[in-house]
Amino acid sequence: MSTSQPLGVQIVFLTYLNRSGSTYLAGKLNSYDTVKMGIEARFVDGWTRPGFSVNNPEELSLYLDNLYQDDKFQAWDIPKKKLATQLAALEFPLRFTDILQAALLLYQGKSTHQFFIHKCGEYYRCVNEIRKELPGAKFIFINR
C-alpha cells in the first residue's frame, strides 16, 4: 500500500489530552459533508508501541481476533473476513500503517469525503513516526 493518501482522501489525526473537548470537536467536524470521522478504536499499533508487526497469517488471525473484541472497532461495522482477506493479500510482515489503511478503506466505503479524521489521544507523542509512514498526514492537537 502507498503511504501517501492511500484512500484518495486527506488523513487527519485528532490528538488530545484528556478532558480537552475532543469528543465535542469530533462531533462538529463530523457535521461537514467533506469530513468522515472515524470512531476511536483501540488498535494495537506500531506508533505508540514501537517494534509492532504482524509477521504471518497466524499472527494476523490473532491480531484481528483481539481487534474485533474492541467495542469501538466493532462499531466501524467492517466485516472481519473482508479485512482479513484484504490484509492477507499484502506482503508480510504487515506494519500498523497497512492495517490502518485497509481498515479505513473498508470503513470509508464509496464515500466522497475529502478528509478522514482518525481520533487517538496518544498520537501526539508519535507525530514523527507517523509522518515517516504517512508523510501527507495532518494533525489536530487539542490542549485545554
Side-chain angles (χ1 to χ4, degrees):
M1 278 192 172
S2 166
T3 59
S4 181
Q5 296 190 17
L7 309 171
V9 299
Q10 176 66 59
I11 297 176
V12 180
F13 292 96
L14 176 56
T15 68
Y16 55 89
L17 297 178
N18 289 339
R19 309 293 306 155
S20 62
S22 63
T23 300
Y24 177 76
L25 178 60
K28 289 293 187 187
L29 291 171
N30 200 43
S31 70
Y32 288 92
D33 293 338
T34 57
V35 174
K36 174 90 171 177
M37 186 76 211
I39 300 165
E40 185 176 12
R42 292 176 193 93
F43 287 92
V44 172
D45 63 64
W47 297 327
T48 60
R49 295 158 190 90
F52 169 84
S53 66
V54 174
N55 299 301
N56 55 53
E58 293 78 24
E59 287 183 16
L60 176 59
S61 180
L62 290 171
Y63 180 86
L64 292 176
D65 286 347
N66 184 48
L67 181 60
Y68 276 84
Q69 290 179 19
D70 179 58
D71 293 339
K72 290 183 178 183
F73 185 77
Q74 287 178 24
W76 286 35
D77 201 27
I78 297 171
K80 185 177 179 181
K81 188 170 184 166
K82 269 188 162 181
L83 182 57
T85 299
Q86 190 166 336
L87 290 170
L90 300 176
E91 187 175 321
F92 288 98
L94 300 176
R95 300 165 303 150
F96 175 64
T97 304
D98 299 321
I99 295 166
L100 180 63
Q101 290 177 160
L104 294 180
L105 186 63
L106 291 169
Y107 181 66
Q108 170 182 283
K110 296 185 186 289
S111 73
T112 58
H113 300 94
Q114 294 175 326
F115 303 94
F116 185 93
I117 300 179
H118 182 61
K119 184 179 172 193
C120 182
E122 294 183 40
Y123 286 174
Y124 73 88
R125 296 179 183 164
C126 41
V127 171
N128 291 334
E129 291 83 357
I130 294 171
R131 284 205 168 131
K132 285 177 189 173
E133 293 191 33
L134 297 169
K138 303 293 182 197
F139 294 83
I140 299 171
F141 175 69
I142 303 173
N143 180 14
R144 177 173 77 155

